[in-house]
Amino acid sequence: MTRHSKIPFTGPLALAVSMVISIAHAQTASDVVDLGTIVLKRTSDTPLENYEGYAAEASSTATRGLPGDLAKSPRSVTVVTREQVEDQGARSLEDAIAYTPGVTVQTYGSDSRYEQYAIRGYEGQSTSTYRDGMPLRTFGWGAWRTEVFGVERIEVLRGGTADLYGSNEPGGVVNAVTKRPQFTYGGEILTRLNSHGGGELGFDVTGPLSDTIAYRFVGLFGETGTVFDEVDEGRVYLAPSLTWKATDRTNITFFGQYQKDDVGDTYVIVPQFGSQLANPIASYDNDFYSGNPDRNIIETTQNYLGYELDHGFDNGLTFRSRARFAENDWINQTTYPAAFYSSTGVAGAVDSAIMTDFDVDQTTTQFSFDNALVKEFSFGNVSGQIIGGVDYYEAEYDNTYSFRYAGNRNLLTESTVVIPGIPVAADIEFTQDIKQVGYYLGANAEIADNWLVTVSLRHDRVDMTTVSSGFSQRNKTDYTTGNIGVSHTFRNGVTLYSNAGTSFNLPPVGVNASSQPLEVETATSYEIGARFRPLGSNSLLSIALFDVTKDNTTQLLNQFAGDPRVEQVGEIRSQGVEVSANYAFKNGVSVLANYTYNDAKITQNATNQGNRVARIPEHSASLWLNYDVQAPRFDGLSLGVGARFTGDRFSDSANTATRKISDLTVFDASVAYEWDDWSATLSARNLTDRQDVTFCTSGAEAATQAGLPLAEAGGCTYGTGRTIQLSLTRRF
């Protein structure tokens, strides 16, 4: 893979060249016939499979596994390619989507335990992470973490998605597409060093075992340091897969994954006085570790097995079957500061913390099964596909967790005093079982090569049972969702589009003030937009206006942990505009640019009506410039620089002045060089090591229980500090 032409030209030119060469070899000079100019045009049978450089021609997430042209789609989709991930030094899913319009990352600050993000004003880390079109939802604390070395690309579909996938937040989904076996031998070996110490070794090998069987084996393992001297992170990742072409019309691929992470606790809360606010005696920088380094274990093991089956019949009908069983074991034994205070009584001179031991022992299993029939149709100047099917999703998790007082710690002297007489809290046992059956029907029709109409309809039956210490809850719901979209593409490459749809999401765990189950959360979404793909290129310029309203949103009746009662009277409306450019100039410069305006407000709520939604900025933007040096003596050299801007936002729904987070700008950069089959990349995230607070919490619960002043109890988290990586890759 060459790094030249980050946003490459489309396939017809390459196809034309190959045909001319073939004709030339087949004929002698004496029988060459001048055929004049032959113009080749993409047909409906030409696969949209270009994911080279920073550009992609197609996405399957918005069409439920069917290839769809990005430029013509009536929905907003961004595809993060393999090369973009490598150039930008992204080590996590959260890193990879940071340059995507409509997306806010690090909503709670730096935290390597989770992929935390919001799409169009709605936080999606619990419900909206998908792998190969099937959900990997987070329950309790057992999150799924994506190893980006194991994926081909990441697709971000914005807007309501319940018509495609069932229960979801209405902002969108993030779908990582796994690397698949190829019938052409190839691979790579990766060595990566980290500026905080340590490194990783990865490999990716694929090829044929026979004419009908191909394999792929991806692996990565290593241990790296973090900004905290007290915390290291280790990972072992193994992902074998096998494809069998049983017949000319039958393909089946088997997937497997084993991933073991020793994360350590990098979600570090420091005093608000000394980070965001002035402190006369101390300053707490982004490398200050406020936890207990001797009690710092977070170990996760996630495994899955699955398959994908496709069988084509004579009449244009295709049967598709997908299934996956996944398991996630999560062990947590850490100590963190629940609230801060001043031991001297001097206002703002915060130097101490009330420490809490936090333990979790959780196992989550998830099973997904999807069967569908796809029918291609064509009559007159209309062609397209119809898909209909049923999917089943089941998740079970068992969780035992506890919060226990662990003493009062002086952060400056690191001494801890345990105050006697504080009662020891009991373990809390928590189990949950979710079953979702969805019946779906969708169609896309291209009319006269310039109109595209997409329609989807889905009916879900969901049954969720929750049992915990003190309460039991069961939610059963039947809900029907739909979406309709229309786009028109002009001859000059401009596409106008619009879509409207409904969606739903299961409510969070809890009951109302009368201890009754909560109602399902519902949403409506509308979008209009325009795209421009310059003729002869795969560059893409886009603008989208969106309006998403979510009803039956919830808020806690009180702030104390252990009370599951909530008030379900809320409505949130998120509306705004996204502008993006993915463009390659002929001089070797490629541009990724995005701007988002998101007016996310609480429009109905007993106490917070009119306030901005917590953790969502009104303005955000990003810019990544890459230059493939054109001078022959520097052939293979590539330079990249980027900036990510996040506007001011509030950490809470009350929009408390002391919980307001200032806007920030983070810079990234990379230098890459390719020669023969080798490539080296030096990348930096947060190049200038900005130490910006990204989230603040009140600490009110622990402070109130201990009789301490609330004004000094708050804590804050920082964004991820500077990380520099040097990677060396040998491809073969």
Side-chain angles (χ1 to χ4, degrees):
M1 178 192 301
T2 177
R3 292 182 179 272
H4 293 282
S5 300
K6 300 293 182 181
I7 306 169
F9 292 101
T10 50
L13 178 60
L15 183 58
V17 172
S18 66
M19 290 183 65
V20 171
I21 293 174
S22 299
I23 294 172
H25 279 289
Q27 302 181 92
T28 63
S30 61
D31 56 16
V32 171
V33 178
D34 185 2
L35 299 178
T37 302
I38 299 176
V39 179
L40 297 179
K41 179 180 178 182
R42 180 187 297 281
T43 70
S44 59
D45 296 327
T46 307
L48 294 165
E49 295 181 346
N50 175 33
Y51 300 103
E52 294 293 318
Y54 293 165
E57 292 181 345
S59 165
S60 60
T61 305
T63 50
R64 196 166 177 97
L66 305 177
D69 192 329
L70 274 178
K72 295 182 178 180
S73 174
R75 293 192 175 191
S76 289
V77 188
T78 296
V79 177
V80 181
T81 65
R82 173 85 249 147
E83 194 162 330
Q84 181 182 336
V85 169
E86 293 174 356
D87 282 355
Q88 294 177 346
R91 294 189 61 201
S92 66
L93 186 75
E94 193 175 350
D95 285 347
I97 63 176
Y99 281 85
T100 302
V103 173
T104 303
V105 299
Q106 294 194 23
T107 48
Y108 291 88
S110 180
D111 186 356
S112 60
R113 302 172 302 170
Y114 303 107
E115 315 280 9
Q116 294 175 338
Y117 59 86
I119 307 175
R120 288 187 172 175
Y122 298 93
E123 294 184 66
Q125 55 263 21
S126 295
T127 64
S128 302
T129 299
Y130 279 61
R131 186 70 173 260
D132 299 318
M134 292 183 285
L136 287 174
R137 295 182 175 127
T138 296
F139 300 99
W141 286 272
W144 294 84
R145 303 172 71 233
T146 301
E147 174 49 60
V148 294
F149 185 67
V151 303
E152 287 285 1
R153 63 189 185 276
I154 299 165
E155 301 186 357
V156 182
L157 170 61
R158 299 186 294 283
T161 60
D163 60 294
L164 298 171
Y165 301 108
S167 174
N168 262 316
E169 286 288 350
V173 299
V174 178
N175 181 35
V177 180
T178 301
K179 290 180 175 178
R180 284 160 168 72
Q182 303 295 315
F183 280 87
T184 302
Y185 179 72
E188 63 180 277
I189 296 176
L190 166 70
T191 302
R192 187 160 54 200
L193 301 177
N194 189 286
S195 59
H196 298 300
E200 296 169 311
L201 179 65
F203 62 87
D204 176 8
V205 182
T206 187
L209 293 175
S210 69
D211 291 340
T212 60
I213 299 177
Y215 72 93
R216 193 156 194 166
F217 193 19
V218 182
L220 183 140
F221 57 92
E223 183 175 290
T224 61
T226 69
V227 68
F228 308 106
D229 294 336
E230 297 84 353
V231 183
D232 292 330
E233 296 178 348
R235 170 169 291 178
V236 176
Y237 175 83
L238 299 172
S241 56
L242 194 73
T243 292
W244 176 32
K245 289 186 176 181
T247 70
D248 291 341
R249 297 177 179 176
T250 305
N251 288 343
I252 183 169
T253 298
F254 299 95
F255 295 95
Q257 176 184 293
Y258 169 83
Q259 181 173 317
K260 180 175 176 55
D261 291 339
D262 295 314
V263 182
D265 191 2
T266 59
Y267 183 62
V268 176
I269 305 172
V270 299
Q272 188 172 22
F273 284 90
S275 57
Q276 188 185 46
L277 304 176
N279 185 324
I281 63 171
S283 176
Y284 304 101
D285 297 331
N286 68 341
D287 60 353
F288 181 85
Y289 194 73
S290 61
N292 182 355
D294 298 324
R295 197 176 190 278
N296 184 22
I297 297 174
I298 301 178
E299 296 179 352
T300 70
T301 303
Q302 55 188 54
N303 306 290
Y304 71 65
L305 291 171
Y307 74 84
E308 296 181 350
L309 169 66
D310 293 274
H311 175 74
F313 298 94
D314 291 332
N315 55 0
L317 192 67
T318 301
F319 172 69
R320 303 172 67 242
S321 181
R322 309 283 188 264
R324 182 179 62 216
F325 175 80
E327 183 179 63
N328 191 345
D329 293 323
W330 185 284
I331 300 294
N332 188 109
Q333 296 176 357
T334 60
T335 301
Y336 72 93
F340 300 97
Y341 65 96
S342 171
S343 65
T344 64
V346 177
V350 175
D351 61 352
S352 299
I354 303 171
M355 306 301 291
T356 296
D357 286 343
F358 177 41
D359 291 353
V360 176
D361 185 353
Q362 177 175 322
T363 298
T364 305
T365 59
Q366 302 189 39
F367 176 69
S368 300
F369 187 69
D370 180 15
N371 281 340
L373 288 173
V374 181
K375 174 65 175 177
E376 295 185 358
F377 64 87
S378 178
F379 55 90
N381 63 353
V382 180
S383 62
Q385 294 172 312
I386 298 175
I387 182 172
V390 56
D391 67 21
Y392 176 78
Y393 172 79
E394 181 174 353
E396 297 181 2
Y397 87 95
D398 297 308
N399 184 11
T400 300
Y401 67 96
S402 65
F403 298 90
R404 291 186 172 92
Y405 170 68
N408 290 30
R409 180 171 183 250
N410 188 296
L411 300 173
L412 304 182
T413 64
E414 300 184 358
S415 61
T416 299
V417 176
V418 178
I419 300 175
I422 296 180
V424 177
D427 289 346
I428 299 174
E429 296 183 358
F430 196 101
T431 62
Q432 191 169 58
D433 179 51
I434 297 175
K435 295 180 176 67
Q436 173 183 283
V437 180
Y439 307 91
Y440 59 89
L441 181 66
N444 62 78
E446 189 167 359
I447 306 170
D449 290 332
N450 54 8
W451 286 94
L452 179 64
V453 179
T454 64
V455 180
S456 57
L457 188 68
R458 179 181 172 111
H459 180 75
D460 283 280
R461 302 177 64 182
V462 185
D463 188 349
M464 181 173 72
T465 301
T466 304
V467 179
S468 181
S469 304
F471 82 100
S472 176
Q473 171 185 326
R474 186 175 186 183
N475 291 76
K476 295 183 66 176
T477 185
D478 282 31
Y479 202 77
T480 300
T481 54
N483 186 283
I484 183 169
V486 179
S487 70
H488 179 75
T489 302
F490 297 90
R491 292 184 177 181
N492 60 1
V494 173
T495 297
L496 302 179
Y497 73 92
S498 64
N499 74 75
T502 58
S503 64
F504 80 102
N505 189 44
L506 288 176
V509 175
V511 293
N512 61 22
S514 302
S515 298
Q516 297 299 310
L518 302 177
E519 298 294 328
V520 67
E521 299 175 336
T522 62
T524 56
S525 61
Y526 304 93
E527 179 179 350
I528 60 172
R531 301 188 187 94
F532 173 53
R533 174 182 284 172
L535 299 179
S537 81
N538 206 29
S539 302
L540 196 63
L541 310 177
S542 305
I543 183 171
L545 285 77
F546 62 88
D547 189 327
V548 185
T549 301
K550 177 181 174 182
D551 295 313
N552 289 337
T553 55
T554 61
Q555 66 176 9
L556 291 172
L557 281 175
N558 64 61
Q559 60 188 340
F560 295 105
D563 187 347
R565 297 177 303 155
V566 301
E567 185 179 19
Q568 193 169 33
V569 296
E571 178 188 85
I572 291 175
R573 185 179 185 184
S574 176
Q575 52 187 340
V577 60
E578 298 161 350
V579 182
S580 63
N582 191 337
Y583 200 86
F585 296 92
K586 294 182 179 180
N587 60 359
V589 175
S590 299
V591 178
L592 293 174
N594 302 298
Y595 166 75
T596 301
Y597 170 73
N598 192 351
D599 182 22
K601 294 286 183 64
I602 302 172
T603 50
Q604 291 181 13
N605 189 269
T607 56
N608 297 320
Q609 186 165 327
N611 289 354
R612 289 165 57 182
V613 175
R615 296 172 291 281
I616 305 301
E618 280 190 326
H619 303 276
S620 59
S622 64
L623 174 65
W624 177 264
L625 300 174
N626 195 90
Y627 176 53
D628 289 326
V629 179
Q630 302 295 291
R633 66 163 62 180
F634 297 114
D635 184 45
L637 180 63
S638 177
L639 308 175
V641 61
R644 292 174 281 132
F645 169 79
T646 304
D648 61 68
R649 56 210 186 279
F650 290 93
S651 294
D652 62 353
S653 297
N655 289 184
T656 309
T658 56
R659 306 286 175 261
K660 187 174 184 179
I661 308 300
S662 300
D663 60 75
L664 60 94
T665 302
V666 176
F667 296 95
D668 306 318
S670 73
V671 178
Y673 182 64
E674 284 195 354
W675 71 101
D676 298 328
D677 295 321
W678 294 84
S679 65
T681 303
L682 180 66
S683 60
R685 309 277 296 189
N686 191 1
L687 179 64
T688 59
D689 199 22
R690 286 286 303 265
Q691 297 191 30
D692 293 289
V693 166
T694 53
F695 174 74
C696 291
T697 182
S698 68
E701 177 189 341
T704 299
Q705 292 176 338
L708 296 172
L710 298 182
E712 297 174 339
C716 297
T717 61
Y718 286 102
T720 302
R722 177 171 54 209
T723 301
I724 300 175
Q725 293 182 140
L726 175 62
S727 63
L728 180 65
T729 301
R730 169 71 162 88
R731 294 183 171 90
F732 51 88

